[in-house]
Amino acid sequence: SVAFLPADPDRVVLTTAAETAKPVCVWTPSLGAAEAVEGAGIPSAFEAAHWAPHGAASVVSLSAHPKLPLVLTAGADGRWVVSDLDASGGPAAAFAHMAAPGAPAALSVARFHVDGIMLGSARNDSGVVTLWDVRQSKPALTVDVGCAGIASMDFSENGYHMAAGSTDGGIILADLRGKSEPKRIEAGGVAGTAVTSVTFDRAGRYLAGCASAVRVVAVKKWLDLGDVQGPGEGAAGAAFGPDAAFTVSACDKFVRWH
């Protein structure tokens, strides 16, 4: 996973190979690195800081806070951890960490809500998403999206809706205000393939789900718009361009525009 920090877009946070001792890394422009790469305004040199928010356990997902220099990780140890990149003791000085309710089990995903006050966590053996109050490290709400397990998650720009990608091939939309029951559309490609990525466009009008294909859904009408990338191409993730005019997806060894 790779994420720019909205609070400081010059810094990039990423997870490295799972077997490394410190799998999370933040890249910060080096002091005096004023030169830009090919005139694109990209710093020419970075300093890297590595840490292991989950100890010996692997990191399974990463999310950047929308307003503060905070990074959320989910681990195979069943915990989510919020690390403060500006802490005097370095990123390893986490200010919040919590195990999911129930028996300890590996998390599959954790994401900050767009308000930055809450975060969501889920597992691949349960269809329940737990929404947490970050400041108090306490559960605030649980949402059952009606599937066997959850592989991915995203929140709409207005914060009213949550999308979940199920382990059994569903793209699910839940209204966090409780005004309607969760809605589901099957992902494209091979039936039953886990939806490893769900992504809203910036306006919250469209939703893309990645399984063995990339399927796009019109959110308001909950209308299946079909696949923008065919099955068998190994879709791993997708993002929308400005005004949702196009999608970019990662598949096999290629990046594809549609």
Side-chain angles (χ1 to χ4, degrees):
S1 298
V2 180
F4 283 102
L5 291 171
D8 185 358
D10 281 342
R11 288 197 283 185
V12 180
V13 182
L14 65 152
T15 54
T16 55
E19 65 272 11
T20 59
K22 297 181 178 181
V24 184
C25 173
V26 57
W27 285 2
T28 303
S30 299
L31 293 177
E35 297 181 14
V37 177
E38 297 180 355
I42 303 173
S44 60
F46 289 83
E47 296 176 354
H50 299 260
W51 75 103
H54 299 270
S58 60
V59 174
V60 297
S61 78
L62 177 150
S63 176
H65 194 278
K67 301 174 183 177
L68 300 173
L70 305 175
V71 174
L72 168 66
T73 52
D77 57 355
R79 297 185 304 138
W80 56 261
V81 175
V82 175
S83 300
D84 185 349
L85 300 185
D86 288 344
S88 59
F95 79 84
H97 54 87
M98 185 63 61
L107 294 179
S108 56
V109 62
R111 298 274 298 184
F112 278 117
H113 188 269
V114 293
D115 65 7
I117 298 173
M118 294 193 301
L119 64 84
S121 68
R123 307 193 321 230
N124 59 16
D125 63 350
S126 170
V128 176
V129 176
T130 303
L131 295 176
W132 300 78
D133 182 312
V134 177
R135 290 172 293 189
Q136 297 185 24
S137 297
K138 294 181 179 180
L141 178 69
T142 57
V143 181
D144 190 340
V145 299
C147 64
I150 297 168
S152 54
M153 182 194 318
D154 197 18
F155 296 99
S156 63
E157 187 65 22
N158 62 13
Y160 295 156
H161 295 95
M162 177 187 69
S166 75
T167 55
D168 59 355
I171 302 170
I172 302 167
L173 182 73
D175 189 329
L176 298 180
R177 300 165 297 178
K179 291 187 175 182
S180 62
E181 293 296 315
K183 304 172 184 178
R184 173 172 174 142
I185 282 179
E186 297 306 310
V190 180
T193 302
V195 181
T196 56
S197 172
V198 284
T199 308
F200 285 100
D201 78 298
R202 290 187 68 105
R205 295 175 300 170
Y206 300 102
L207 175 65
C210 300
S212 61
V214 178
R215 178 148 293 181
V216 175
V217 180
V219 174
K220 188 173 183 179
K221 295 183 179 180
W222 198 237
L223 178 64
D224 186 349
L225 300 180
D227 297 340
V228 295
Q229 177 188 309
E233 297 177 359
F240 289 95
D243 298 321
F246 60 89
T247 61
V248 180
S249 57
C251 51
D252 298 328
K253 298 180 180 180
F254 302 96
V255 176
R256 301 180 187 271
W257 277 259
H258 302 274

